[in-house]
Amino acid sequence: MPLLLDFKVTNFLLWAVGAVIGVGAFASRTLRARCVALGRAVRLPGVGERVLILGSGVLAGELMEAMKARGSRWTIVGVIPEVRSVGPAPPYPVMGSLEDLDLIVGKVRPHRIVVALDERRGRLPVGPLLQSRVRGVAVEEGVEFYERLMRRLAIDALNPSALIFSDGFQRRRVAGFVGRGMSLFLSALGIAVTAPLWPLIALAIRLDSRGPVVFRQERVGRGGRKFGLLKFRTMLTEGANGSSWVRDNTARITRTGSFLRWSHLDELPQLINVLRGDMNLVGPRPHPVSNFELFSARIPFYALRAAIRPGVTGWAQVRYRYANTLEEESEKMRYDLYYIKHRSLWFDLRILVRTARILLMGLRPEREVAERSPAVPHTTKVRAA
């Protein structure tokens, strides 16, 4: 009996010690994972993924610049160029060719491989990539990595099939109904709250210059349908030439109009457009009809903007400055497509909160100063009268 009791006690102690060790190991791994996640969140030096990039074209270059701008969250351990790469050599170690991918992975030991090849037919090293995944190395499409990193779409590198078979670009009927109801409610509330300002704005416009108080301009809405966008007039009607270019209209802005544009009070009548069904509170900004053909011909996937109602504010508005060139308009299109792909009620609320911060605190869009597109000789309209 004492022997049996000793045996049971011994087994219990061994089980308890094993349980403590197991719990301790689990807690240690969990704590370590949390610390790594926290380190990545705050971007502590020395904490982050080792990334190997396949490709040396435009997309690969943009990814390298984006990761460099975000500090030490990622470490680019090497770049494997394409056979027919163009442009200058990347500012990171060039690691041979795609045929040597298996050996290169064993040498640099990346945590993630980003495939950013401009041309993949006959070049994609399928076998080594599969082996890398089996060994625990993450393998990701360059376009998807760019989207997750930049919160916009790489429209220059997108294939139509990537959009057709994507999980995004869908919105459930219930979510759309709730989102539309939110736009109607907040627009009606906004009109009620700002109603005392409308007569004062109208009086200031009339005293400052002759012409109508409210300006109406044809814009392109959902499904390509034209509608009249309403704004408080900020320009002189005398000498109006119908130009859609900012450079042609700057001299016509009135003193009252300058203040209304600075405070964004000229946008208030668009709440009526929301109630009419022309717009939502959140969505891509509607472009003038005069620019529609130009943008359709020059900006990839531009027609997708017409899949949803345009908005008073949008993801491009809170992330990027006003566009003054066709190239900058293309840049904003990247954000518009990202919004259309990922739109949801929570996304809309997030955009509305950021818009309120910009309006109330005088903040600038997040990338207004951080990223400047090079100027091109042709400018496009952003701020209409």
Side-chain angles (χ1 to χ4, degrees), residues 103-353:
L103 297 175
I104 294 171
V105 170
K107 178 180 179 181
V108 301
R109 299 186 179 279
H111 298 121
R112 183 177 302 274
I113 299 175
V114 177
V115 181
L117 301 173
D118 288 343
E119 179 58 51
R120 300 185 182 186
R121 292 183 181 180
R123 300 180 186 177
L124 189 66
V126 178
L129 288 176
L130 287 175
Q131 286 294 328
S132 297
R133 290 207 62 179
V134 171
R135 295 168 184 168
V137 179
V139 179
E140 190 170 2
E141 282 268 10
V143 171
E144 294 179 359
F145 185 72
Y146 179 94
E147 178 180 338
R148 183 165 57 86
L149 178 66
M150 305 296 292
R151 298 294 187 266
R152 57 181 179 172
L153 266 62
I155 57 176
D156 296 329
L158 279 176
N159 294 318
S161 59
L163 300 178
I164 294 172
F165 298 108
S166 171
D167 293 334
F169 300 101
Q170 298 178 3
R171 191 172 190 179
R172 296 180 180 178
R173 186 171 299 178
V174 174
F177 178 79
V178 173
R180 178 61 186 159
M182 181 185 69
S183 288
L184 292 174
F185 172 75
L186 292 179
S187 296
L189 180 62
I191 291 176
V193 170
T194 61
L197 296 176
W198 291 49
L200 299 177
I201 295 173
L203 179 61
I205 293 173
R206 281 292 176 88
L207 293 176
D208 193 21
S209 62
R210 286 186 290 180
V213 170
V214 176
F215 174 84
R216 183 182 183 276
Q217 185 186 47
E218 271 201 330
R219 300 282 179 112
V220 180
R222 185 179 183 180
R225 184 178 64 86
K226 300 175 183 178
F227 71 96
L229 181 134
L230 304 175
K231 302 176 72 172
F232 282 122
R233 182 174 59 85
T234 60
M235 293 186 182
L236 296 171
T237 56
E238 296 84 354
N241 56 11
S243 174
S244 292
W245 311 108
V246 172
R247 62 187 177 188
D248 297 332
N249 296 321
T250 302
R252 294 171 46 221
I253 299 176
T254 64
R255 290 172 298 177
T256 300
S258 180
F259 170 76
L260 292 178
R261 288 181 171 224
W262 172 79
S263 61
H264 296 276
L265 291 174
D266 62 321
E267 311 279 359
L268 285 178
Q270 291 175 45
L271 298 178
I272 298 176
N273 286 117
V274 176
L275 296 181
R276 286 179 176 178
D278 301 324
M279 304 171 65
N280 274 338
L281 275 182
V282 180
R285 283 293 295 170
H287 285 147
V289 175
S290 56
N291 283 346
F292 185 77
E293 292 185 2
L294 171 65
F295 292 167
S296 298
R298 300 288 295 275
I299 301 177
F301 309 109
Y302 180 79
L304 289 178
R305 295 178 93 257
I308 64 174
R309 284 188 180 93
V312 178
T313 185
W315 186 234
Q317 275 61 50
V318 300
R319 292 280 293 182
Y320 200 77
R321 63 188 179 276
Y322 285 122
N324 289 302
T325 67
L326 183 61
E327 186 173 80
E328 290 177 350
E329 200 64 63
S330 299
E331 189 72 11
K332 294 188 74 171
M333 182 64 186
R334 298 171 182 247
Y335 292 102
D336 286 332
L337 282 182
Y338 181 88
Y339 169 77
I340 295 172
K341 181 178 180 180
H342 297 281
R343 71 189 191 278
S344 66
L345 180 61
W346 294 113
F347 199 3
D348 287 353
L349 291 174
R350 178 183 176 187
I351 293 171
L352 289 174
V353 169

